[in-house]
């Protein structure tokens, strides 16, 4: 349906897309993944015509440009218009529809995303998930054949993500969807095909199973390894504890480990942070073992002052004792000018 042939794009002297070729089929959902700055969003904007190519071409099977809709990360709803007015503006102004026909069409689309009862509300009256669903409905009133989604889940909390995911499940049955995202769970569930991008090029493409679980390219392997971990940096004793706890809970939920595993992991993190200085630069990496239900915690400390797991030098012996009870493995080693604490949490406790 869409074919990109050797397209390139530079912005301010920086190569964003580099001789990239790719095809998209009708009624297929393709997810673009890759690190920030790899070119995913620019690729979508080139397809939509918002960004002009430096080289290459984009062709369509029909020979004519199809109707393309785009959904953005931050919704882009008009704050001074209510929900119904947000949806009817384009059909009236662009398609020349009557106000009555546009309103009927808008209500149909609002009903399809479960928000017909919110038609008279303003965007600020809605939750973030509802705002994104309104943005999807607004896109659909123009009856696009192709829908481009630029990080549509990244501004959403878990509940809102679930709401929008439910809408996308239905959309993929009838439309061609191309979504740039960092949400690997959404990719796993929704994608028919996954494209991994790095430095403006396509490194790997294939099924979810092939790209996410059996990547062949080294850049893809590194990316997927990072995505399967929780990274958190602490540079002050006054860091955002609730944010870290929320991220730990979300990480545990990703693997279906449940509330007990979250509290157990959160306790291990909290007690470990009690025995190390938080103003020296701390990097926390939480990962789930591939082979079994086991959480691994690696904490890198930019301070060589003491051995933190030695009771004679540890600043909080009670916390150290608790950590030892929580872990099957507790190791401390020196890597360059840093100390690394490695914990393997007791798997029996995670599963109880």
């Amino acid at each position: 349906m869409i074919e990109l042939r050797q397209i390139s794009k530079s912005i301010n002297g920086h190569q964003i897309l580099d001789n990239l070729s790719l095809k998209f089929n009708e009624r297929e959902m393709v997810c673009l993944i890759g690190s920030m700055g790899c070119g995913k969003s620019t690729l979508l904007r080139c397809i939509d015509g918002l960004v002009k190519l430096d080289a290459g071409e984009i062709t369509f099977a029909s020979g004519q440009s199809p109707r393309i809709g785009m959904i953005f990360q931050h919704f882009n709803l008009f704050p001074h218009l209510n929900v119904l007015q947000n949806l009817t503006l384009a059909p009236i102004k662009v398609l020349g529809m009557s106000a009555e026909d546009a309103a009927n069409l808008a209500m149909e689309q609002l009903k399809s995303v479960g928000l017909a009862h919110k038609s008279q509300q303003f965007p600020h009256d809605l939750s973030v998930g509802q705002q994104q669903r309104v943005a999807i409905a607004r896109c659909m009133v123009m009856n696009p054949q192709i829908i481009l989604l630029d990080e549509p889940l990244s501004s959403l909390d878990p509940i809102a993500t679930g709401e929008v995911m439910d809408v996308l499940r239905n959309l993929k049955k009838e439309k061609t969807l191309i979504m740039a995202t960092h949400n690997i769970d959404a990719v796993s569930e929704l994608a028919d095909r996954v494209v991994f991008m790095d430095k403006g090029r396509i490194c790997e493409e294939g099924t979810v199973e092939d790209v996410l679980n059996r990547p062949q390219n080294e850049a893809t392997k590194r990316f997927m390894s990072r995505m399967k971990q929780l990274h958190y940096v602490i540079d002050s004793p006054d860091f955002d504890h609730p944010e870290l706890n929320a991220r730990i809970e979300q990480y545990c939920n990703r693997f279906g480990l449940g509330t007990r595993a979250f509290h157990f992991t959160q306790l291990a993190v909290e007690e470990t942070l009690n025995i190390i200085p938080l103003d020296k630069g701390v990097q926390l990496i939480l990962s789930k073992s591939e082979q079994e239900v086991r959480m691994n915690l690696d904490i890198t400390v930019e301070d060589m002052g003491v051995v933190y797991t030695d009771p004679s030098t540890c600043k909080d012996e009670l916390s150290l004792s608790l950590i030892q009870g929580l872990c099957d493995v507790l190791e401390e080693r020196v890597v360059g000018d840093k100390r690394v604490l490695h914990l393997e949490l007791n798997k029996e406790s995670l599963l109880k």
Side-chain angles (χ1 to χ4, degrees):
M1 187 177 190
I2 309 174
E3 184 172 0
L4 316 181
R5 295 195 187 98
Q6 298 179 319
I7 67 170
S8 294
K9 179 63 184 179
S10 295
I11 298 177
N12 296 327
H14 180 60
Q15 193 76 39
I16 307 297
L17 299 176
D18 187 7
N19 199 35
L20 183 151
S21 296
L22 187 62
K23 291 182 180 180
F24 300 98
N25 302 314
E26 188 174 0
R27 293 188 181 181
E28 176 186 40
M29 182 162 189
V30 178
C31 287
L32 309 174
I33 63 173
S35 302
M36 292 277 291
C38 71
K40 303 186 299 295
S41 295
T42 301
L43 176 59
L44 295 182
R45 284 162 170 75
C46 287
I47 294 173
D48 198 30
L50 297 174
V51 171
K52 185 178 179 180
L53 298 176
D54 293 336
E57 62 178 351
I58 299 175
T59 59
F60 304 95
S62 64
Q64 296 181 336
S65 178
R67 291 183 300 278
I68 299 175
M70 191 156 185
I71 297 166
F72 300 90
Q73 175 181 348
H74 297 296
F75 326 133
N76 290 0
L77 300 175
F78 295 110
H80 63 291
L81 301 180
N82 67 28
V83 167
L84 185 62
Q85 291 167 334
N86 263 280
L87 267 68
T88 58
L89 185 63
I92 293 172
K93 297 292 186 181
V94 178
L95 302 181
M97 294 179 66
S98 69
E100 181 180 358
D101 288 345
N104 290 335
L105 176 60
M107 290 303 295
E108 287 179 17
Q109 292 303 331
L110 286 173
K111 184 178 180 180
S112 73
V113 298
L115 292 174
H117 63 296
K118 297 288 187 179
S119 64
Q120 299 304 310
Q121 300 293 310
F122 285 81
H124 66 263
D125 296 319
L126 306 177
S127 69
V128 290
Q130 290 169 339
Q131 289 182 61
Q132 190 61 288
R133 283 187 281 157
V134 169
I136 293 172
R138 183 179 61 178
C139 174
M140 291 299 294
V141 296
M142 301 299 287
N143 192 27
Q145 297 162 277
I146 301 165
I147 300 178
L148 310 176
L149 302 108
D150 191 7
E151 299 286 357
L153 306 173
S154 63
S155 299
L156 309 183
D157 59 37
I159 293 175
T161 296
E163 296 173 5
V164 176
M165 287 271 289
D166 190 52
V167 172
L168 294 180
R169 288 186 198 99
N170 292 323
L171 275 184
K172 65 174 289 192
K173 299 174 185 177
E174 54 187 84
K175 302 290 182 181
T176 298
L177 303 182
I178 306 172
M179 180 168 74
T181 184
H182 284 98
N183 190 315
I184 297 301
D185 295 333
V187 175
S188 298
E189 180 175 345
L190 297 173
D192 297 309
R193 185 157 50 102
V194 183
V195 175
F196 173 72
M197 295 178 61
D198 184 49
K199 298 178 182 177
R201 296 188 175 193
I202 295 171
C203 293
E204 194 159 352
E205 65 175 298
T207 64
V208 167
E209 185 64 26
D210 287 341
V211 177
L212 300 192
N213 299 328
R214 293 193 299 268
Q216 301 300 307
N217 181 276
E218 287 302 318
T220 315
K221 291 178 181 178
R222 289 193 299 271
F223 176 80
M224 289 311 305
S225 176
R226 290 196 304 272
M227 293 303 293
K228 291 178 180 179
Q229 299 174 337
L230 187 163
H231 289 248
Y232 198 85
V233 175
I234 298 170
D235 56 10
S236 166
D238 298 321
F239 75 96
D240 193 338
H241 287 79
E243 180 194 38
L244 176 57
N245 288 338
R247 291 185 61 181
I248 294 172
E249 182 175 21
Q250 185 178 36
Y251 185 83
C252 291
N253 289 340
R254 179 192 299 183
F255 298 104
L257 295 178
T259 302
R260 179 179 176 83
F262 156 60
H263 288 302
F264 186 76
T265 305
Q266 186 255 338
L267 177 61
V269 171
E270 182 178 326
E271 297 300 337
T272 304
L273 295 180
N274 282 342
I275 69 171
I276 61 176
L278 301 183
D279 58 348
K280 302 292 186 180
V282 176
Q283 177 175 286
L284 182 154
I285 299 175
L286 183 65
S287 61
K288 177 183 172 294
S289 171
E290 296 274 347
Q291 289 74 35
E292 57 185 345
V293 179
R294 182 189 295 279
M295 284 293 192
N296 302 320
L297 176 64
D298 288 281
I299 296 184
T300 301
V301 186
E302 296 182 10
D303 179 50
M304 299 293 287
V306 300
V307 178
Y308 301 110
T309 54
D310 183 344
S312 66
T313 56
C314 179
K315 69 175 186 177
D316 192 326
E317 288 188 54
L318 177 58
S319 287
L320 179 59
S321 178
L322 287 171
I323 294 166
Q324 291 169 335
L326 293 170
C327 299
D328 289 333
V329 175
L330 174 59
E331 300 174 341
E332 182 173 350
R333 59 186 184 272
V334 175
V335 179
D337 59 351
K338 298 177 175 62
R339 286 192 181 274
V340 177
L341 278 68
H342 174 72
L343 292 72
E344 295 182 10
L345 307 189
N346 184 290
K347 66 179 181 179
E348 283 76 19
S349 296
L350 288 172
L351 290 169
K352 284 181 180 177

